[in-house]
């Protein structure tokens, strides 16, 4: 697969996102539904803690990707939904650190919504991966 990053944007020296990602010849695609910060019993973890929820949500996303023989670096599109965009943008280094460590350079969206499926959720992340 050949990949071309288009219009990269950096935050604090780390890639925040690309305006677009051009792929030529991907063999496999994985469409990943919204993930959230749930503990082993299925309850929302880290109530009121956007950093904790971001970290655990990325961990859960990574687990799903690995189950399908993908990795975070294979994500080409990422959508982050939050009920508190000010809190997420204030701690966006959590996102850029995870993406940087994984070599992940997605096209992405960050949007504030009125509510998510569980009142304790501050963040939900969905993704599209390709190899």
């Amino acid at each position: 697969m050949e990949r071309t990053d288009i219009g990269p944007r950096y935050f604090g020296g780390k890639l925040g996102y690309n305006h677009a990602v051009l792929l030529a010849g991907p063999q496999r695609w994985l469409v990943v539904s919204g993930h959230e910060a749930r503990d082993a019993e299925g309850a929302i973890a880290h109530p009121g803690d956007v950093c904790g929820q971001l970290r655990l949500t990325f961990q859960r996303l990574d687990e799903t990707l690995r189950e399908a023989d993908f990795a975070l670096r294979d994500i080409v599109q990422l959508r982050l939904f939050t009920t508190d965009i000010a809190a997420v943008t204030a701690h966006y280094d959590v996102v850029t650190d995870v993406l940087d460590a994984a070599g992940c350079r997605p096209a992405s969206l960050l949007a504030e919504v009125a509510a998510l499926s569980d009142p304790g959720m501050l963040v939900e992340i969905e993704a599209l991966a390709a190899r």
Side-chain angles (χ1 to χ4, degrees):
M1 175 180 78
E2 184 180 325
R3 175 193 173 114
T4 304
D5 296 338
I6 299 170
R9 298 293 178 192
Y10 294 87
F11 301 109
K14 292 183 183 168
L15 179 72
Y17 66 95
N18 285 304
H19 278 161
V21 177
L22 176 63
L23 302 174
Q27 298 295 311
R28 298 177 63 219
W29 292 87
L30 183 65
V31 180
V32 184
S33 66
H35 278 56
E36 60 279 325
R38 293 202 181 267
D39 63 22
E41 289 76 41
I44 295 298
H46 308 289
D49 176 8
V50 74
C51 290
Q53 286 197 12
L54 282 167
R55 285 187 186 99
L56 184 54
T57 301
F58 273 108
Q59 179 183 329
R60 297 294 182 240
L61 180 61
D62 184 53
E63 291 166 1
T64 297
L65 289 162
R66 289 177 186 276
E67 187 175 337
D69 196 28
F70 280 80
L72 285 170
R73 72 178 167 277
D74 297 320
I75 294 174
V76 295
Q77 185 179 46
L78 195 65
R79 292 185 182 124
L80 291 90
F81 299 95
T82 180
T83 57
D84 187 348
I85 202 161
V88 171
T89 55
H91 299 285
Y92 206 73
D93 60 313
V94 173
V95 175
T96 57
D97 288 350
V98 168
L99 298 179
D100 186 55
C104 180
R105 304 179 323 269
S108 66
L109 166 81
L110 171 61
E112 184 173 278
V113 296
L116 294 165
S117 62
D118 185 303
M121 289 170 55
L122 301 173
V123 175
E124 186 167 357
I125 303 174
E126 66 178 24
L128 177 63
R131 286 184 124 187

